[in-house]
Amino acid sequence: MKRKLSFLFLSALTIPFFMVSCSDDKEEQEVKPATDLVVDNNSVTLLQGDEITVSITSGNGDYYVKPFDENVATATINGNKVTIKATENSQLEENNRTETTILIVDGRKKVARVLVRVAKLWDLTVDAPEEGFDLFIGEKRLVKILTGNGDYQISIPEGADKFLEVGELSGQVIPLTAKFETGADPVNITITDKKGKTITIPVVVNIVDLTRKSNEATFAEPDAESQYISIERGNGGYSFTYQVGDSEPTTNATIVEATEKENLITLKPKARGDVKVIVTDQKGSVEEISVKVNPYNLKLENEATSLIIGGYEASTEIAITRGNGDYKLAQLTDDNKTYLKTAELITEDGATKLKLPGKKLGATTLELSDAAGQKLTLPVYVNPVCYRMEYDVCFKIDIKKYAESHSEVKSMNQLTFEVVFYPTYTRSMQSFIGLESVFLLRAEAKDVNPRFEIATKINGKSDPRFRSQQTIYCDDSEGGRKTPGKWYHIAIVYDGTKSSTKEAYKMYINGVRETLTPADNSYEDCAPNSSLNLTDVGGNDKALLIGRSGDSYRVGYCKVYQARMWKRALDESEIKANMCKILNAEEHSDLMGYWVFSKGVGGTTVFENWGNGGSGLDAQVCLQNISENKPAWGAELPATYNGDKSRFEPIECPHSY
């Protein structure tokens, strides 16, 4: 006879809670979010009088239990363990079953439910098909006992453990793992409960086709990070061979090395090239992975993408830090040969270096390649540098000796001097370019904020001088001197064909004509000399000087880039157009002297004349002999300069006028 079962449902559940006291300042307490209440078994089967333990795996503590119907099952809790016991019921017949729910509640009102099914005698059933199932090598499966009478015993035939691993029963779950042996016949798993109920599950272990998540890999270069490819299915015991092109597979991992752990293939690049990685498992299943390792990108020291040579006679060396060996430079073009003396690859201390000596200021491009066909297009700049003159050095052009074969300098009716420079200090009478007592660019006779002035010669006049409106900027902050310093282009022009000093003597500062003020009104607008004799130079030196004049205290204290001497009076448009350009003397027949102080090499004693006046106008580096109050022509160069290039500095902004 069947019995109607009644179930008790909770309409409401009252959960006690406690107020958290606030501090005196009523600062709110931080409340962490509640976690879900989870148990390891939400459905159990029991015989009358049997019990089972269910574990709480996640929750918020303060647990208690509430059975819906204690006529079916009761529950007690100890910590996180819930013991469920089926109630004895004499009225329950053998093939009938009943059920109830055990409610588990925690202190944060989270709830879990366990369905409890009770019978006087259970049939033994599992969640597997009656005909059994297949497992691939390495595959795992959980078989759950759905109904039964407890005290389960699991057995397999003798010797079958080489095919199948049967794990420990956990609750009512049996873990099965296929091993690496296969067989055509099934392994029969027999389950028996305490009431003698049995069930048999046939399991066949089969070979799985080897599959992996990806069949290719590309590396940016041989030093790239390893890549990983997962094996989705396989039979374990993996080995690797490598095939390059049409060659026979080999175990020699020359391009990439493959290893496997826990079904994860690691590919580590070793050298550039293409290779097939052949993956074979212990059952002979084979797959291929196509791997490409790109060559190294050509790289230079400090990641340089261009090269700068500071000076037309200077050189630079730079190491190749990354590449594929067998480095070559493309054949030098005519353009290359214009700006570079040579370009060569040298080996020092095991490193390959590119060595480039400059020849002419300007820019060109080289091409570097390696054994892998990698190419690097390399702009090369032969940049101008300036020469820093201090108290100890000036440049001498021996105009008296030059006049022995070039008498024209004894009667010049027109003359222009240009100089590009950066004053580093200001003082009275410091001189920049010209001839003492003839035609000279210098500072006026005051130490603080002096003006530029032209010092010249006019018949019958005592020490004629014409001064600029601008004062000299310098980066020395002492004594009220202005800061910051700046680059100047200054041209001073003499034209003896003019009838007035206002037109005969001109100064252009950064391409703009300056209004000149005479030091004495007596020569403000008188007739100038019709010509100048450049050999009629005064002072102790008797020479055309750059960075000094007359007596040794009149040193220039500046960085100088270039200077020019023309045998005609340049106009404003010409001056402005060519202020900082590198000129070709062949295009300017009146350019007598042209000095570019951009050699950039230590031990320089002479700056050659690039103008049309020839070597007689070469500028000799000259030591100032302060103690004797005269230049020491031919003397040993200062220790601060001789043999090194510390006096050469980059030109920061020579075109910013």
Side-chain angles (χ1 to χ4, degrees):
M1 151 180 172
K2 293 186 177 178
R3 188 177 167 202
K4 187 179 288 185
L5 303 175
S6 63
F7 295 84
L8 175 65
F9 296 92
L10 297 177
S11 60
L13 185 65
T14 302
I15 309 296
F17 65 94
F18 302 90
M19 297 294 292
V20 179
S21 64
C22 298
S23 62
D24 293 340
D25 61 1
K26 298 183 180 180
E27 182 179 343
E28 294 185 1
Q29 300 285 331
E30 183 180 356
V31 180
K32 294 183 179 179
T35 60
D36 291 335
L37 181 57
V38 181
V39 296
D40 65 354
N41 201 346
N42 293 101
S43 177
V44 299
T45 60
L46 295 172
L47 290 176
Q48 288 185 342
D50 287 353
E51 64 181 39
I52 192 170
T53 299
V54 174
S55 297
I56 300 171
T57 60
S58 175
N60 303 285
D62 296 334
Y63 305 108
Y64 74 92
V65 294
K66 181 67 178 178
F68 279 14
D69 190 350
E70 292 188 344
N71 292 320
V72 178
T74 61
T76 59
I77 188 164
N78 185 9
N80 67 338
K81 302 291 185 182
V82 180
T83 301
I84 302 170
K85 185 174 182 178
T87 305
E88 296 280 357
N89 187 344
S90 60
Q91 298 183 19
L92 191 65
E93 297 182 355
E94 181 175 312
N95 293 321
N96 287 344
R97 59 189 65 176
T98 187
E99 63 184 32
T100 189
T101 298
I102 304 297
L103 199 67
I104 307 170
V105 186
D106 68 19
R108 300 291 295 275
K109 301 182 182 180
K110 294 291 185 179
V111 179
R113 293 173 173 80
V114 181
L115 177 64
V116 183
R117 294 178 292 177
V118 180
K120 191 171 183 178
L121 182 68
W122 285 101
D123 289 331
L124 185 56
T125 62
V126 296
D127 65 346
E130 185 178 345
E131 67 275 11
F133 52 85
D134 290 356
L135 286 179
F136 292 108
I137 287 177
E139 187 178 3
K140 297 180 180 180
R141 179 165 176 169
L142 301 177
V143 176
K144 186 175 183 180
I145 300 172
L146 300 176
T147 62
N149 301 290
D151 292 344
Y152 302 105
Q153 302 296 318
I154 305 157
S155 64
I156 59 176
E158 185 178 354
D161 55 356
K162 68 179 181 180
F163 303 107
L164 191 68
E165 178 184 336
V166 181
E168 296 267 341
L169 181 69
S170 176
Q172 293 175 212
V173 177
I174 307 168
L176 303 176
T177 304
K179 292 189 173 181
F180 293 107
E181 290 290 335
T182 61
D185 297 328
V187 175
N188 291 318
I189 302 171
T190 301
I191 306 171
T192 306
D193 66 18
K194 68 180 180 181
K195 295 297 185 180
K197 298 283 188 178
T198 65
I199 190 172
T200 299
I201 310 170
V203 178
V204 177
V205 179
N206 284 328
I207 296 173
V208 65
D209 289 333
L210 177 59
T211 60
R212 66 274 173 276
K213 195 168 183 179
S214 177
N215 62 357
E216 62 181 20
T218 300
F219 294 92
E221 60 182 17
D223 283 348
E225 295 290 329
S226 297
Q227 294 186 29
Y228 306 92
I229 295 176
S230 60
I231 297 173
E232 295 182 326
R233 303 176 74 176
N235 302 297
Y238 302 102
S239 62
F240 303 93
T241 55
Y242 310 90
Q243 184 178 20
V244 179
D246 296 329
S247 63
E248 290 296 318
T250 176
T251 58
N252 191 12
T254 57
I255 295 174
V256 72
E257 183 178 21
T259 56
E260 178 270 339
K261 184 178 181 181
E262 297 179 354
N263 289 333
L264 190 67
I265 298 173
T266 299
L267 298 173
K268 181 177 178 60
K270 298 178 69 176
R272 62 184 174 88
D274 298 337
V275 63
K276 288 181 180 177
V277 179
I278 303 167
V279 188
T280 307
D281 68 20
Q282 63 180 350
K283 295 301 181 181
S285 189
V286 178
E287 282 289 344
E288 292 181 353
I289 304 171
S290 296
V291 179
K292 182 178 185 64
V293 181
N294 288 318
Y296 290 113
N297 291 321
L298 265 174
K299 291 184 180 180
L300 300 180
E301 188 176 354
N302 299 323
E303 303 286 329
T305 57
S306 63
L307 291 183
I308 295 175
I309 303 173
Y312 59 85
E313 285 195 1
S315 64
T316 190
E317 292 182 9
I318 191 164
I320 301 171
T321 56
R322 183 66 62 88
N324 304 283
D326 194 21
Y327 303 107
K328 290 183 172 63
L329 278 169
Q331 186 174 356
L332 296 186
T333 64
D334 289 342
D335 186 73
N336 296 150
K337 294 175 182 178
T338 298
Y339 300 99
L340 302 173
K341 293 179 181 178
T342 59
E344 58 181 335
L345 294 168
I346 61 175
T347 301
E348 290 183 355
D349 301 325
T352 301
K353 296 181 179 181
L354 181 59
K355 183 177 182 179
L356 303 175
K359 180 180 179 181
K360 181 180 178 181
L361 299 180
T364 189
T365 302
L366 296 175
E367 186 176 90
L368 181 67
S369 63
D370 65 13
Q374 295 288 92
K375 293 183 178 180
L376 184 62
T377 300
L378 196 61
V380 181
Y381 303 96
V382 186
N383 281 354
V385 291
C386 60
Y387 181 84
R388 188 183 76 253
M389 292 188 293
E390 298 177 354
Y391 72 93
D392 53 356
V393 174
C394 65
F395 304 130
K396 173 197 174 185
I397 298 97
D398 194 343
I399 197 71
K400 286 183 172 290
K401 185 175 182 180
Y402 181 79
E404 294 174 2
S405 55
H406 297 81
S407 59
E408 60 183 324
V409 299
K410 293 182 179 181
S411 183
M412 304 278 292
N413 61 6
Q414 290 187 338
L415 180 65
T416 300
F417 284 131
E418 294 179 273
V419 61
V420 181
F421 66 108
Y422 182 115
T424 57
Y425 187 79
T426 59
R427 59 154 297 152
S428 172
M429 305 286 284
Q430 70 181 109
S431 300
F432 303 107
I433 187 171
L435 302 114
E436 179 73 20
S437 305
V438 179
F439 192 59
L440 174 68
L441 173 66
R442 71 183 184 191
E444 68 175 312
K446 57 186 295 189
D447 286 332
V448 179
N449 300 333
R451 293 171 290 177
F452 294 108
E453 73 176 15
I454 298 173
T456 187
K457 185 175 288 187
I458 302 176
N459 290 331
K461 305 297 179 180
S462 176
D463 194 17
R465 288 161 285 157
F466 300 91
R467 293 168 180 157
S468 69
Q469 304 304 304
Q470 297 186 46
T471 57
I472 302 175
Y473 277 67
C474 175
D475 59 5
D476 191 323
S477 61
E478 297 178 4
R481 298 175 176 92
K482 296 183 179 181
T483 184
K486 71 183 234 183
W487 282 94
Y488 290 96
H489 173 280
I490 295 185
I492 56 174
V493 179
Y494 160 75
D495 188 352
T497 66
K498 303 295 184 181
S499 59
S500 161
T501 56
K502 287 185 177 180
E503 292 303 315
Y505 300 98
K506 298 176 184 178
M507 180 186 297
Y508 298 87
I509 299 179
N510 300 331
V512 179
R513 184 177 177 181
E514 188 79 356
T515 299
L516 298 179
T517 302
D520 189 305
N521 292 335
S522 66
Y523 49 80
E524 178 180 10
D525 199 24
C526 66
N529 287 5
S530 60
S531 66
L532 295 175
N533 181 358
L534 304 191
T535 66
D536 192 18
V537 58
N540 293 318
D541 41 56
K542 310 297 184 184
L544 168 61
L545 295 177
I546 300 170
R548 220 207 77 160
S549 75
D551 297 325
S552 59
Y553 73 87
R554 299 180 179 184
V555 294
Y557 289 108
C558 63
K559 296 184 282 189
V560 60
Y561 169 35
Q562 57 173 296
R564 302 172 187 149
M565 174 182 172
W566 301 79
K567 59 181 180 182
R568 67 180 177 87
L570 300 185
D571 60 33
E572 185 168 346
S573 63
E574 293 177 292
I575 292 170
K576 184 173 291 187
N578 296 319
M579 284 193 301
C580 219
K581 291 182 179 178
I582 298 297
L583 303 184
N584 182 353
E586 293 180 357
E587 300 173 358
H588 303 276
S589 59
D590 294 323
L591 182 58
M592 297 177 61
Y594 186 22
W595 307 276
V596 180
F597 304 102
S598 281
K599 280 192 172 184
V601 293
T604 297
T605 59
V606 174
F607 288 95
E608 292 82 3
N609 175 30
W610 290 8
N612 297 305
S615 60
L617 294 179
D618 289 348
Q620 179 185 353
V621 182
C622 179
L623 176 66
Q624 308 270 12
N625 192 327
I626 305 298
S627 62
E628 297 182 13
N629 199 33
K630 62 181 182 180
W633 306 133
E636 183 180 358
L637 295 176
T640 55
Y641 172 68
N642 192 27
D644 74 284
K645 53 181 187 179
S646 63
R647 290 295 182 97
F648 289 102
E649 298 182 3
I651 299 174
E652 298 155 358
C653 50
H655 302 278
S656 63
Y657 314 126

